[in-house]
Amino acid sequence: MSANFNLKEIYRRRVDKIVSYLNEHNIDAVFFHDSEDKREPALRYLTGHPTDAVLIITAAGKTILSPWDINLANERAFADEVIPYTNFTNSEFTAAKEILKKELAKGGKLVLPESTTYLDFATFKEALPDWELVCKKDSLHQFVINNRSVKDEYEIACTRKACEITSRMTDDIVNFLNSGAFKTESDVALFIEKRLREEGCERTSFDTLAAGPSRSHAIHAFPGYTSEPWGTKGLSILDYGVCYEGYASDCTITIARGPLSAEQTEVLDLVEKAVEECRKLYLPGKRVKDAANKADEIFKEAGKKMPHGLGHGTGLEIHEAPFVSWRAKEDTLFEPGNIVTLEPGLYDPRLGGCRLENDVLITESGNEFLTNSKIFRL
């Protein structure tokens, strides 16, 4: 996949947006840190390095990466300078102090993540006495999140690949179920884990949720899967996704094996209707909350209520902006390049649960389903 793109140019374009923000707001540098304590997908978004590193970008446009795994960084990262984290005793405070002393000896204004704790802020202040530290909401780190919500050509290609793999797996899962090869939740979940590795994926994009008729009434079944029957009489749910070059797919299918009651059939019909009607609102320039409100209206007319949002963005994280919910801001609109789930669902301890989820690319003229999920009536 990467061979088809000039990744150096792509990462540079992303960094240039950050540099423009820095200069526009009279900021001298920004600090990012990805670690086991707090994952920061912006680091991979801006350099290609997948995990555990400090990244500093200056207003002059220089990127300095300090990775824990220098060998991995030498293979994958795009940065102007790469310095082993061990040079700074594996301390983000020491890394910030030494890198900034070299780049900007006179000090300046540095933006820290808004998630920085009070104690960490105090430690940064001690390490950087000549710097004005900025740590507030809706600052540069939020600007990066907003940029990530609109995918570029490489991100769309990676997500499309993840979705293609997912769709083929969905076809195989239904075929194996019909042949009798799959009988339990574990059969399905472990197949996914093995197959995605064979397809060149990094991992599942979240813990697989395979819930048979006895457990499908939970929005997110706990535990994610067991040895219980799956795909037997009643309603079964499978919610899963894969991660390809960092980018996530996210789909949910429902297996509806009859004979079903009239109430169960009504639930299936309502969920399918919500998908059909709400897809018409997944359009560039349309308000995000209008789609969510439409789903709620459909279910309310039938005397039912969906207990979760209608969808969310996907990307380097499984849940990203924009979030398709009645809580969305009035001025949040679908934009070309958004990749957003559409996932209406209803759940009842007596009837079981039904959710239908696809990944949807917002295009200049409409939308495109990237996955092939549906309600399989067997």
Side-chain angles (χ1 to χ4, degrees):
M1 176 68 70
S2 59
N4 300 325
F5 294 89
N6 184 337
L7 294 183
K8 183 177 181 179
E9 179 181 318
I10 288 171
Y11 288 116
R12 189 68 243 177
R13 287 204 307 261
R14 297 175 187 174
V15 168
D16 285 346
K17 293 180 181 179
I18 308 306
V19 174
S20 294
Y21 185 102
L22 290 171
N23 285 284
E24 181 182 346
H25 293 81
N26 298 312
I27 300 168
D28 297 287
V30 59
F31 175 91
F32 299 93
H33 184 210
D34 179 81
S35 69
E36 287 182 342
D37 294 334
K38 177 67 171 66
R39 288 302 174 197
E40 174 51 90
L43 198 139
R44 187 170 189 175
Y45 176 72
L46 295 168
T47 70
H49 185 66
T51 184
D52 295 301
V54 161
L55 172 66
I56 291 176
I57 301 176
T58 70
K62 187 172 182 180
T63 55
I64 306 98
L65 180 71
S66 182
W68 175 62
D69 190 330
I70 187 66
N71 296 325
L72 183 62
N74 287 336
E75 288 179 0
R76 300 182 64 101
F78 293 83
D80 297 318
E81 187 173 0
V82 180
I83 308 171
Y85 199 42
T86 51
N87 285 19
F88 307 117
T89 63
N90 289 9
S91 165
E92 67 267 34
F93 310 108
T94 303
K97 176 182 177 179
E98 296 301 323
I99 291 171
L100 290 171
K101 182 170 67 174
K102 177 185 174 185
E103 298 299 324
L104 295 155
K106 294 182 179 180
K109 184 185 290 187
L110 174 69
V111 177
L112 298 173
E114 64 180 57
S115 60
T116 303
T117 66
Y118 175 81
L119 291 177
D120 282 351
F121 186 88
T123 306
F124 274 114
K125 192 65 180 175
E126 182 179 352
L128 300 165
D130 299 326
W131 282 78
E132 176 188 350
L133 303 182
V134 179
C135 182
K136 63 181 183 179
K137 296 189 71 172
D138 298 326
S139 185
L140 202 157
H141 292 78
Q142 183 61 48
F143 175 75
V144 178
I145 290 173
N146 295 341
N147 285 343
R148 285 172 44 216
S149 71
V150 178
K151 273 54 182 176
D152 59 33
E153 67 274 22
Y154 177 63
E155 295 178 288
I156 291 173
C158 289
T159 307
R160 190 183 294 278
K161 179 69 172 179
C163 290
E164 289 174 357
I165 292 168
T166 303
S167 293
R168 291 201 304 272
M169 290 170 65
T170 294
D171 290 339
D172 288 341
I173 287 166
V174 175
N175 289 335
F176 284 133
L177 176 65
N178 285 329
S179 71
F182 286 169
K183 294 182 172 61
T184 69
E185 298 169 352
S186 295
D187 289 340
V188 180
L190 296 179
F191 165 80
I192 291 168
E193 188 66 42
K194 181 174 184 292
R195 174 62 69 83
L196 72 88
R197 310 287 176 173
E198 295 170 347
E199 293 277 4
C201 298
E202 298 175 2
R203 54 181 172 81
T204 57
S205 46
F206 55 94
D207 289 341
T208 297
L209 301 168
S214 67
R215 303 190 324 121
S216 65
H217 59 272
I219 302 169
H220 282 174
F222 182 83
Y225 57 90
T226 70
S227 60
E228 287 290 305
W230 185 82
T232 50
K233 181 180 178 301
L235 306 182
S236 297
I237 284 177
L238 174 64
D239 185 354
Y240 79 107
V242 303
C243 188
Y244 184 85
E245 291 297 324
Y247 288 86
S249 66
D250 186 3
C251 77
T252 306
I253 65 173
T254 295
I255 303 294
R257 188 179 291 277
L260 302 177
S261 69
E263 290 176 289
Q264 288 174 315
T265 300
E266 180 191 19
V267 166
L268 303 182
D269 292 343
L270 283 169
V271 169
E272 288 177 331
K273 179 180 179 181
V275 170
E276 180 181 355
E277 294 301 318
C278 293
R279 180 177 184 176
K280 299 173 184 177
L281 300 174
Y282 272 54
L283 300 174
K286 290 286 188 181
R287 292 197 315 168
V288 165
K289 71 182 308 176
D290 288 345
N293 289 340
K294 182 63 176 179
D296 290 339
E297 289 172 10
I298 291 169
F299 293 136
K300 185 177 180 179
E301 288 176 2
K304 301 183 184 299
K305 182 175 178 58
M306 181 171 66
H308 54 73
L310 182 63
H312 56 84
T314 66
L316 290 171
E317 294 180 288
I318 189 59
H319 295 114
E320 295 189 353
F323 293 90
V324 188
S325 163
W326 63 268
R327 292 186 296 270
K329 294 180 179 179
E330 295 289 333
D331 60 353
T332 302
L333 309 178
F334 287 116
E335 299 180 64
N338 289 153
I339 299 178
V340 197
T341 65
L342 171 55
E343 51 177 302
L346 293 172
Y347 315 87
D348 184 281
R350 184 171 55 86
L351 304 175
C354 172
R355 182 162 66 251
L356 176 52
E357 177 183 19
N358 280 288
D359 296 331
V360 185
L361 171 64
I362 306 300
T363 66
E364 293 286 348
S365 59
N367 62 58
E368 176 188 352
F369 271 31
L370 300 180
T371 46
N372 65 347
S373 299
K374 65 179 183 178
I375 296 173
F376 295 90
R377 304 188 189 220
L378 307 180

